[in-house]
Amino acid sequence: MIDAVIARLRAQAMPPLRLVEGMAEIESLNGAQPRAMPAAFVTPLSERAEPAGNTLRLRQKVTVHFGVVLICRNVSDLGRGGSALVELKPVRAAVLSALYGWGETAGVTQSPIQFSEGIVIDAHAGLVAWQDTYVTTLYHQQA
């Protein structure tokens, strides 16, 4: 599913995004800036399964949370991060527009993707890292 989300963002949110990658790429930054900004990194966050019903074949509903970490810069910010938050607004809107309600009709998920929450991860030196969390449903089924 994460690969499908990355592909969707590359197709629907570039521009304003200039880079869309996965979890391995954000971990490889190791404190360095992305090679292009604004950048988005899609990462799995959690999965929570409900107990399976009593049927002949095991089938479990799984609620999946994933994050889209956005990194933006504004060099006129003088190190405080506030102007970068302004630059972040249209980027967040583009990501939300690409993902909100999508997934089920594309066969990627079993329910439309919904927005859950957003939070500042870091803001300094003209950069801001923000994570928006999205939620959807998948089903695991015994073959």
Side-chain angles (χ1 to χ4, degrees):
M1 183 198 78
I2 296 298
D3 290 339
V5 170
I6 291 169
R8 174 76 174 182
L9 291 177
R10 285 177 177 162
Q12 300 290 318
M14 289 182 80
L17 288 172
R18 295 187 58 220
L19 178 70
V20 179
E21 298 290 350
M23 187 170 81
E25 289 79 4
I26 196 170
E27 289 177 353
S28 72
L29 289 176
N30 204 18
Q33 294 183 10
R35 66 182 182 274
M37 285 188 261
F41 298 90
V42 182
T43 178
L45 296 176
S46 69
E47 294 183 357
R48 181 168 299 213
E50 295 180 10
N54 294 330
T55 62
L56 293 175
R57 290 175 40 187
L58 192 62
R59 185 171 193 251
Q60 279 187 295
K61 179 180 178 181
V62 180
T63 301
V64 176
H65 290 85
F66 65 92
V68 179
V69 176
L70 301 169
I71 301 176
C72 291
R73 94 169 123 218
N74 185 324
V75 294
S76 67
D77 197 19
L78 302 176
R80 292 184 295 276
S83 294
L85 285 172
V86 172
E87 298 292 322
L88 184 63
K89 250 183 153 169
V91 176
R92 287 185 71 211
V95 171
L96 181 66
S97 178
L99 296 180
Y100 191 76
W102 177 78
E104 183 178 32
T105 57
V108 174
T109 64
Q110 275 78 41
S111 70
I113 291 172
Q114 298 177 45
F115 174 78
S116 177
E117 67 177 330
I119 187 170
V120 172
I121 297 172
D122 193 15
H124 71 282
L127 289 179
V128 64
W130 179 280
Q131 178 177 290
D132 280 328
T133 300
Y134 292 88
V135 62
T136 191
T137 303
L138 302 173
Y139 285 91
H140 294 306
Q141 184 166 317
Q142 186 179 19

